[in-house]
PDB file of all heavy atoms in Angstrom:
ATOM      1  N   GLY A  99     -23.343 -77.203   2.138  1.00  0.00           N
ATOM      2  CA  GLY A  99     -23.452 -77.843   0.833  1.00  0.00           C
ATOM      3  C   GLY A  99     -22.148 -78.424   0.326  1.00  0.00           C
ATOM      4  O   GLY A  99     -22.154 -79.257  -0.584  1.00  0.00           O
ATOM      5  N   LEU A 100     -21.012 -78.009   0.911  1.00  0.00           N
ATOM      6  CA  LEU A 100     -19.733 -78.597   0.521  1.00  0.00           C
ATOM      7  C   LEU A 100     -19.571 -79.961   1.189  1.00  0.00           C
ATOM      8  O   LEU A 100     -20.259 -80.286   2.156  1.00  0.00           O
ATOM      9  CB  LEU A 100     -18.571 -77.683   0.920  1.00  0.00           C
ATOM     10  CG  LEU A 100     -18.555 -76.275   0.322  1.00  0.00           C
ATOM     11  CD1 LEU A 100     -17.267 -75.562   0.712  1.00  0.00           C
ATOM     12  CD2 LEU A 100     -18.705 -76.312  -1.188  1.00  0.00           C
ATOM     13  N   ASN A 101     -18.651 -80.742   0.665  1.00  0.00           N
ATOM     14  CA  ASN A 101     -18.344 -82.054   1.234  1.00  0.00           C
ATOM     15  C   ASN A 101     -16.873 -82.076   1.624  1.00  0.00           C
ATOM     16  O   ASN A 101     -16.010 -81.673   0.837  1.00  0.00           O
ATOM     17  CB  ASN A 101     -18.642 -83.161   0.222  1.00  0.00           C
ATOM     18  CG  ASN A 101     -18.392 -84.545   0.785  1.00  0.00           C
ATOM     19  OD1 ASN A 101     -17.251 -84.990   0.891  1.00  0.00           O
ATOM     20  ND2 ASN A 101     -19.463 -85.238   1.154  1.00  0.00           N
ATOM     21  N   LEU A 102     -16.575 -82.545   2.831  1.00  0.00           N
ATOM     22  CA  LEU A 102     -15.207 -82.481   3.343  1.00  0.00           C
ATOM     23  C   LEU A 102     -14.232 -83.351   2.567  1.00  0.00           C
ATOM     24  O   LEU A 102     -13.019 -83.122   2.629  1.00  0.00           O
ATOM     25  CB  LEU A 102     -15.176 -82.879   4.822  1.00  0.00           C
ATOM     26  CG  LEU A 102     -15.878 -81.937   5.797  1.00  0.00           C
ATOM     27  CD1 LEU A 102     -15.647 -82.394   7.227  1.00  0.00           C
ATOM     28  CD2 LEU A 102     -15.403 -80.502   5.630  1.00  0.00           C
ATOM     29  N   LEU A 103     -14.730 -84.349   1.836  1.00  0.00           N
ATOM     30  CA  LEU A 103     -13.847 -85.228   1.074  1.00  0.00           C
ATOM     31  C   LEU A 103     -13.744 -84.853  -0.397  1.00  0.00           C
ATOM     32  O   LEU A 103     -12.995 -85.481  -1.134  1.00  0.00           O
ATOM     33  CB  LEU A 103     -14.326 -86.684   1.173  1.00  0.00           C
ATOM     34  CG  LEU A 103     -13.902 -87.488   2.398  1.00  0.00           C
ATOM     35  CD1 LEU A 103     -14.354 -88.930   2.248  1.00  0.00           C
ATOM     36  CD2 LEU A 103     -12.401 -87.431   2.631  1.00  0.00           C
ATOM     37  N   LYS A 104     -14.493 -83.853  -0.829  1.00  0.00           N
ATOM     38  CA  LYS A 104     -14.549 -83.528  -2.257  1.00  0.00           C
ATOM     39  C   LYS A 104     -14.092 -82.092  -2.490  1.00  0.00           C
ATOM     40  O   LYS A 104     -14.899 -81.168  -2.560  1.00  0.00           O
ATOM     41  CB  LYS A 104     -15.972 -83.742  -2.792  1.00  0.00           C
ATOM     42  CG  LYS A 104     -16.441 -85.192  -2.671  1.00  0.00           C
ATOM     43  CD  LYS A 104     -17.883 -85.363  -3.131  1.00  0.00           C
ATOM     44  CE  LYS A 104     -18.332 -86.818  -2.980  1.00  0.00           C
ATOM     45  NZ  LYS A 104     -19.760 -87.000  -3.357  1.00  0.00           N
ATOM     46  N   ASN A 105     -12.773 -81.919  -2.580  1.00  0.00           N
ATOM     47  CA  ASN A 105     -12.174 -80.613  -2.893  1.00  0.00           C
ATOM     48  C   ASN A 105     -12.607 -79.525  -1.916  1.00  0.00           C
ATOM     49  O   ASN A 105     -12.757 -78.358  -2.294  1.00  0.00           O
ATOM     50  CB  ASN A 105     -12.529 -80.189  -4.324  1.00  0.00           C
ATOM     51  CG  ASN A 105     -12.060 -81.185  -5.359  1.00  0.00           C
ATOM     52  OD1 ASN A 105     -10.919 -81.645  -5.325  1.00  0.00           O
ATOM     53  ND2 ASN A 105     -12.939 -81.547  -6.280  1.00  0.00           N
ATOM     54  N   PHE A 106     -12.796 -79.896  -0.648  1.00  0.00           N
ATOM     55  CA  PHE A 106     -13.319 -78.933   0.322  1.00  0.00           C
ATOM     56  C   PHE A 106     -12.404 -77.729   0.483  1.00  0.00           C
ATOM     57  O   PHE A 106     -12.866 -76.575   0.460  1.00  0.00           O
ATOM     58  CB  PHE A 106     -13.520 -79.615   1.678  1.00  0.00           C
ATOM     59  CG  PHE A 106     -13.922 -78.660   2.770  1.00  0.00           C
ATOM     60  CD1 PHE A 106     -15.229 -78.217   2.867  1.00  0.00           C
ATOM     61  CD2 PHE A 106     -12.988 -78.185   3.690  1.00  0.00           C
ATOM     62  CE1 PHE A 106     -15.609 -77.327   3.868  1.00  0.00           C
ATOM     63  CE2 PHE A 106     -13.354 -77.301   4.691  1.00  0.00           C
ATOM     64  CZ  PHE A 106     -14.667 -76.871   4.782  1.00  0.00           C
ATOM     65  N   ARG A 107     -11.111 -77.949   0.675  1.00  0.00           N
ATOM     66  CA  ARG A 107     -10.209 -76.827   0.927  1.00  0.00           C
ATOM     67  C   ARG A 107     -10.192 -75.861  -0.249  1.00  0.00           C
ATOM     68  O   ARG A 107     -10.212 -74.641  -0.075  1.00  0.00           O
ATOM     69  CB  ARG A 107      -8.800 -77.345   1.224  1.00  0.00           C
ATOM     70  CG  ARG A 107      -8.692 -78.146   2.525  1.00  0.00           C
ATOM     71  CD  ARG A 107      -7.254 -78.552   2.796  1.00  0.00           C
ATOM     72  NE  ARG A 107      -7.119 -79.332   4.013  1.00  0.00           N
ATOM     73  CZ  ARG A 107      -7.100 -80.655   4.052  1.00  0.00           C
ATOM     74  NH1 ARG A 107      -7.219 -81.354   2.928  1.00  0.00           N
ATOM     75  NH2 ARG A 107      -6.962 -81.296   5.204  1.00  0.00           N
ATOM     76  N   ARG A 108     -10.147 -76.399  -1.458  1.00  0.00           N
ATOM     77  CA  ARG A 108     -10.107 -75.542  -2.639  1.00  0.00           C
ATOM     78  C   ARG A 108     -11.404 -74.754  -2.796  1.00  0.00           C
ATOM     79  O   ARG A 108     -11.384 -73.534  -3.005  1.00  0.00           O
ATOM     80  CB  ARG A 108      -9.854 -76.385  -3.896  1.00  0.00           C
ATOM     81  CG  ARG A 108      -9.713 -75.550  -5.171  1.00  0.00           C
ATOM     82  CD  ARG A 108      -9.485 -76.436  -6.373  1.00  0.00           C
ATOM     83  NE  ARG A 108     -10.665 -77.247  -6.671  1.00  0.00           N
ATOM     84  CZ  ARG A 108     -10.669 -78.266  -7.521  1.00  0.00           C
ATOM     85  NH1 ARG A 108      -9.551 -78.641  -8.118  1.00  0.00           N
ATOM     86  NH2 ARG A 108     -11.783 -78.940  -7.751  1.00  0.00           N
ATOM     87  N   GLU A 109     -12.542 -75.440  -2.679  1.00  0.00           N
ATOM     88  CA  GLU A 109     -13.816 -74.763  -2.889  1.00  0.00           C
ATOM     89  C   GLU A 109     -14.107 -73.758  -1.774  1.00  0.00           C
ATOM     90  O   GLU A 109     -14.606 -72.658  -2.033  1.00  0.00           O
ATOM     91  CB  GLU A 109     -14.935 -75.796  -2.997  1.00  0.00           C
ATOM     92  CG  GLU A 109     -14.817 -76.663  -4.248  1.00  0.00           C
ATOM     93  CD  GLU A 109     -15.978 -77.622  -4.402  1.00  0.00           C
ATOM     94  OE1 GLU A 109     -16.964 -77.494  -3.649  1.00  0.00           O
ATOM     95  OE2 GLU A 109     -15.903 -78.502  -5.284  1.00  0.00           O
ATOM     96  N   ALA A 110     -13.785 -74.125  -0.536  1.00  0.00           N
ATOM     97  CA  ALA A 110     -13.996 -73.190   0.571  1.00  0.00           C
ATOM     98  C   ALA A 110     -13.100 -71.973   0.414  1.00  0.00           C
ATOM     99  O   ALA A 110     -13.521 -70.834   0.664  1.00  0.00           O
ATOM    100  CB  ALA A 110     -13.727 -73.885   1.900  1.00  0.00           C
ATOM    101  N   GLY A 111     -11.855 -72.194  -0.009  1.00  0.00           N
ATOM    102  CA  GLY A 111     -10.940 -71.079  -0.216  1.00  0.00           C
ATOM    103  C   GLY A 111     -11.428 -70.123  -1.290  1.00  0.00           C
ATOM    104  O   GLY A 111     -11.268 -68.902  -1.174  1.00  0.00           O
ATOM    105  N   GLN A 112     -12.034 -70.669  -2.336  1.00  0.00           N
ATOM    106  CA  GLN A 112     -12.571 -69.819  -3.397  1.00  0.00           C
ATOM    107  C   GLN A 112     -13.773 -69.020  -2.913  1.00  0.00           C
ATOM    108  O   GLN A 112     -13.922 -67.832  -3.230  1.00  0.00           O
ATOM    109  CB  GLN A 112     -12.949 -70.676  -4.603  1.00  0.00           C
ATOM    110  CG  GLN A 112     -11.754 -71.291  -5.322  1.00  0.00           C
ATOM    111  CD  GLN A 112     -12.156 -72.301  -6.382  1.00  0.00           C
ATOM    112  OE1 GLN A 112     -13.308 -72.759  -6.422  1.00  0.00           O
ATOM    113  NE2 GLN A 112     -11.218 -72.667  -7.243  1.00  0.00           N
ATOM    114  N   LEU A 113     -14.629 -69.653  -2.121  1.00  0.00           N
ATOM    115  CA  LEU A 113     -15.833 -68.976  -1.633  1.00  0.00           C
ATOM    116  C   LEU A 113     -15.512 -67.852  -0.654  1.00  0.00           C
ATOM    117  O   LEU A 113     -16.253 -66.869  -0.562  1.00  0.00           O
ATOM    118  CB  LEU A 113     -16.753 -69.993  -0.949  1.00  0.00           C
ATOM    119  CG  LEU A 113     -17.458 -71.004  -1.849  1.00  0.00           C
ATOM    120  CD1 LEU A 113     -18.118 -72.090  -1.003  1.00  0.00           C
ATOM    121  CD2 LEU A 113     -18.500 -70.309  -2.724  1.00  0.00           C
ATOM    122  N   LEU A 114     -14.407 -67.996   0.086  1.00  0.00           N
ATOM    123  CA  LEU A 114     -14.113 -67.072   1.180  1.00  0.00           C
ATOM    124  C   LEU A 114     -12.822 -66.297   0.957  1.00  0.00           C
ATOM    125  O   LEU A 114     -12.240 -65.767   1.900  1.00  0.00           O
ATOM    126  CB  LEU A 114     -14.041 -67.859   2.491  1.00  0.00           C
ATOM    127  CG  LEU A 114     -15.365 -68.533   2.875  1.00  0.00           C
ATOM    128  CD1 LEU A 114     -15.144 -69.631   3.899  1.00  0.00           C
ATOM    129  CD2 LEU A 114     -16.353 -67.499   3.403  1.00  0.00           C
ATOM    130  N   ALA A 115     -12.394 -66.200  -0.284  1.00  0.00           N
ATOM    131  CA  ALA A 115     -11.118 -65.556  -0.599  1.00  0.00           C
ATOM    132  C   ALA A 115     -11.171 -64.046  -0.372  1.00  0.00           C
ATOM    133  O   ALA A 115     -12.237 -63.421  -0.414  1.00  0.00           O
ATOM    134  CB  ALA A 115     -10.738 -65.840  -2.051  1.00  0.00           C
ATOM    135  N   GLY A 116      -9.996 -63.481  -0.119  1.00  0.00           N
ATOM    136  CA  GLY A 116      -9.854 -62.028  -0.047  1.00  0.00           C
ATOM    137  C   GLY A 116     -10.692 -61.394   1.040  1.00  0.00           C
ATOM    138  O   GLY A 116     -10.715 -61.840   2.185  1.00  0.00           O
ATOM    139  N   THR A 117     -11.419 -60.349   0.672  1.00  0.00           N
ATOM    140  CA  THR A 117     -12.172 -59.567   1.653  1.00  0.00           C
ATOM    141  C   THR A 117     -13.530 -60.174   1.999  1.00  0.00           C
ATOM    142  O   THR A 117     -14.274 -59.600   2.789  1.00  0.00           O
ATOM    143  CB  THR A 117     -12.386 -58.135   1.129  1.00  0.00           C
ATOM    144  OG1 THR A 117     -13.094 -58.189  -0.118  1.00  0.00           O
ATOM    145  CG2 THR A 117     -11.051 -57.430   0.921  1.00  0.00           C
ATOM    146  N   VAL A 118     -13.847 -61.332   1.423  1.00  0.00           N
ATOM    147  CA  VAL A 118     -15.137 -61.958   1.737  1.00  0.00           C
ATOM    148  C   VAL A 118     -15.156 -62.459   3.177  1.00  0.00           C
ATOM    149  O   VAL A 118     -16.149 -62.313   3.892  1.00  0.00           O
ATOM    150  CB  VAL A 118     -15.428 -63.121   0.766  1.00  0.00           C
ATOM    151  CG1 VAL A 118     -16.710 -63.849   1.168  1.00  0.00           C
ATOM    152  CG2 VAL A 118     -15.536 -62.602  -0.657  1.00  0.00           C
ATOM    153  N   GLY A 119     -14.050 -63.075   3.602  1.00  0.00           N
ATOM    154  CA  GLY A 119     -14.012 -63.685   4.921  1.00  0.00           C
ATOM    155  C   GLY A 119     -12.933 -63.091   5.802  1.00  0.00           C
ATOM    156  O   GLY A 119     -12.372 -62.034   5.521  1.00  0.00           O
TER     157      GLY A 119
END
Side-chain angles (χ1 to χ4, degrees):
L100 300 186
N101 182 283
L102 293 185
L103 277 186
K104 298 177 181 177
N105 301 313
F106 174 79
R107 294 184 181 95
R108 183 181 67 192
E109 293 184 10
Q112 292 171 345
L113 289 170
L114 297 162
T117 59
V118 175

